[in-house]
Amino acid sequence: MSEVLWRPGLRFGSYPQKPESRLTDFEQGAAAFFDKIVKRLTRKRYSLTYVVEQVNRHAEPLRHCNEQQLTIAILALREALSRQGLTEVLMLRAFALIRETADRTLNKRHFDEQLFGGWLMINGLLAEMETGEGKTLTATLPACTAALAGIPVHVITANDYLAGRDADMLKPLYLRLGLKSGAVVDGMALEQRRKMYQNAIVHTTNKQIAFDYLRDRIEIGEDTGPLRFQYRQIRQDVTEQKHEALIMRGLCFAIIDEADSVLIDEAKTPLIITQTKPNDESPKTYGDALYLASSLFINDDFVIDAKSRDIELTSQGENTLADMAIGLGPNWKNKRWRETMVKQALIAEYCFKRNKQYILKDNKVQIIDEFTGRVMEDRSWEQGLQQMIEAKEGCLISEQREPLARISYQRFFGRYLKLAGTSGTVREVAAEMHRVYGLHAVKVPTHRISKRRLLSERIYTTQAAKQRMFLQRVNELHTLGRPILIGTGSVAESLEVSDWLEQAGLLHRVLNAEQDQHEAEIIAHAGQLNAITVATNMAGRGTDIALGLGVAELGGLHVIALNCNESRRIDRQLYGRCARQGDPGSCEAILSLEDAGLREFYSSAILKTLTGLANGDQALPAWLGNLILRLPQTYKERHQRSVRRQLSKQDKRLSRILAFSGKFE
């Protein structure tokens, strides 16, 4: 009896996707609980020893195959998988064949632990693998196995750089197995995207694929029934109307690298695809709004909630605005419109800073993803905020945009027929992964014992003391010849740290959203003798910094974090750049009570009390420093979890409304 194959065909149609779940939160939680029990009852099937023994048994005959015999084995396996599906025996046989092929084409042979991680993923689980354990190579096992069975595979990662890098690096393996592959990244034309999605394995990012799916949903329109949809596809093939062709082949099997970043960190904001519309307001209107905003006084006329980036006008502020707006034009007489415009101007002025939330590139305002530190091409803020920031920076005012379709990551990834993933920092959010996406996390042992030395975090009372101690520490390490990676929270902070190092006469490189075109070159140099690299979160995920000659003997790469991230997981990702695959390495954090992340959370009275607990340039006691850092992170993690839950509930309500109205999305 053949196993069900998650691919286009009679069972799942020409555009496969899972039907929308109608379960309540309680029912969804109960289903996740019983699924967890089933996984525990069948844990022998998910044990490292069992998987490795079975793969090795199939691998023995392959060791002595010549290239022609290997090709015959690949073709035979492909036919068997296509006919019988993903049976346990065939998947184990595929793993043995893929490992042998990778050894010959990439000169990389999967470790036993990677075999286990791949086995978890092909069975729809989340493999928790420590940073540096080779998750990219591990993902080739489930990806190639599914692709050999004719299942379209999407390998999804956190940014375009990683998607393009992985696709290029793994192409020799894919080609030897007879599999076409490619990467869908930002800037690709629509026809080129459509061509790439015809490949067996597609490397891309969560944003790229979700927006391409929304484009397909817009194109599909109200062809809701499967028969109508099938007829539409047949008619399209006959008439060859390429401009109406769908981009993707459905949502069959997704393997998500850095799963916590994609499914958790980025899941608090819905994805909205828009179209341009004529700008209702003139550049002068935005200028007037900014002028009025600059005339208001904080706390007297308005109050700021820094945590939610929201601003509320006081009664005094409303009256002041009404007086100042006299003579500006008819629109300014409308109280609601007037206050909305000025609030947006205040938000643009106080809550969105250049080189933190956005950069200016080619005289355009470009948004920075605060989780990855990368530019988000072709993205814009809504409700006039984009235009207000452009006016603030003196840029050409762009057209406004109106929404055409929206979807959350929770709904989008829930529509894949099969979902799997891997991450090194998943334990804190494992329960949410299971409840929302049905992904059960299993820990994968490390291949080698980690040699990473985690030094205690040091918190100083002032920014000046932090700067002095930081430069002293960098000088000590640089004198030894050890490479140093310095993690910062924004473009502005990376430039400030660069100035510190320049004034101290220390040669260094900077990696942020403004230097993204040099990323590969900077990363390649970051592990060499005497290298000093200042980076934003761009260097925090998926970045493999190879050690130069003689560096391991000196102690390996040293990582210094200079800011308090929103989550402990993001801290661990940065620290994970050092001491990979058994190499030596060390990491530490050097912070101050004047850092923005701590100032926004703690009151001035608490900060003043904490300042009195340290003498001069001495750091606060280690136990206290740890507590000071963890409290804001715990609060922010809880808040973000609440935001994601509310978004999911809102999405379900919207889904029910659309289903009742008969619309497809």
Side-chain angles (χ1 to χ4, degrees), residues 131 258 371 425 452 454 484-489 493 523 533-543 545 557-565 567-580 586-591:
T131 52
E258 308 296 352
F371 287 111
T425 49
R452 184 178 302 126
L454 179 59
I484 307 164
L485 176 66
I486 302 159
T488 61
E493 189 180 354
I523 290 299
T533 308
V534 181
T536 60
N537 284 343
M538 286 177 67
R541 280 193 182 269
T543 307
I545 299 176
L557 178 70
H558 184 78
V559 176
I560 300 176
L562 289 181
N563 72 303
C564 175
N565 285 302
S567 168
R568 180 63 174 166
R569 289 181 296 108
I570 301 174
D571 291 340
R572 290 201 288 123
Q573 281 291 343
L574 176 63
Y575 295 156
R577 296 318 98 201
C578 71
R580 298 163 71 87
S586 52
C587 50
E588 64 181 317
I590 300 176
L591 307 141

Side-chain angles (χ1 to χ4, degrees), residues 36-200:
K36 193 171 184 177
I37 291 176
V38 171
K39 292 289 192 299
R40 287 186 179 277
L41 291 174
T42 56
R43 62 181 177 271
K44 180 190 173 185
R45 190 169 180 248
Y46 303 109
S47 73
L48 186 148
T49 304
Y50 173 77
V51 172
V52 173
E53 284 178 355
Q54 295 300 313
V55 171
N56 286 339
R57 187 165 61 84
H58 290 286
E60 195 57 38
L62 297 172
R63 286 182 175 274
H64 308 293
C65 285
N66 58 32
E67 289 303 309
Q68 185 178 1
Q69 291 169 329
L70 187 66
T71 299
I72 293 171
I74 292 169
L75 293 174
L77 176 65
R78 189 167 193 160
E79 184 179 355
L81 283 167
S82 183
R83 287 176 177 273
Q84 301 173 43
L86 297 174
T87 65
E88 181 172 311
V89 172
L90 287 179
M91 288 192 294
L92 291 165
R93 184 173 145 198
F95 274 34
L97 187 61
I98 294 163
R99 181 173 66 171
E100 181 65 29
T101 308
D103 192 14
R104 298 188 187 193
T105 56
L106 304 176
N107 198 27
K108 294 181 179 180
R109 189 173 183 85
H110 297 83
F111 303 133
D112 291 349
E113 293 77 13
Q114 291 172 323
L115 292 175
F116 181 52
W119 184 252
L120 295 174
M121 285 188 270
I122 196 66
N123 284 284
L125 297 170
L126 184 62
E128 185 181 354
M129 303 178 68
E130 289 294 330
T131 52
E133 287 296 299
K135 293 187 286 292
T136 301
L137 186 63
T138 303
T140 61
L141 293 163
C144 294
T145 301
L148 286 169
I151 300 168
V153 179
H154 298 154
V155 181
I156 300 169
T157 190
N159 59 67
D160 286 333
Y161 167 74
L162 295 177
R165 182 203 69 180
D166 294 349
D168 290 339
M169 180 178 71
L170 301 173
K171 195 165 190 174
L173 170 62
Y174 296 151
L175 287 175
R176 186 64 185 88
L177 293 168
L179 301 170
K180 292 184 178 180
S181 64
V184 174
V185 295
D186 204 57
M188 275 188 170
L190 198 61
E191 193 54 44
Q192 192 179 5
R193 288 172 177 269
R194 189 176 289 120
K195 184 179 178 182
M196 282 294 173
Y197 281 116
Q198 298 307 306
N199 291 326

Side-chain angles (χ1 to χ4, degrees), residues 482-548:
R482 289 182 65 183
I484 307 164
L485 176 66
I486 302 159
T488 61
S490 65
V491 173
E493 189 180 354
S494 68
L495 296 176
E496 182 184 12
V497 173
S498 177
D499 287 340
W500 294 354
L501 294 170
E502 194 170 325
Q503 290 167 17
L506 293 164
L507 294 176
H508 61 281
R509 299 288 298 272
V510 178
L511 175 60
N512 58 34
E514 295 180 339
Q515 284 84 30
D516 55 355
Q517 68 273 24
H518 303 297
E519 181 169 359
E521 176 203 345
I522 294 172
I523 290 299
H525 183 259
Q528 304 302 309
L529 283 169
N530 297 305
I532 301 175
T533 308
V534 181
T536 60
N537 284 343
M538 286 177 67
R541 280 193 182 269
T543 307
D544 191 9
I545 299 176
L547 299 185

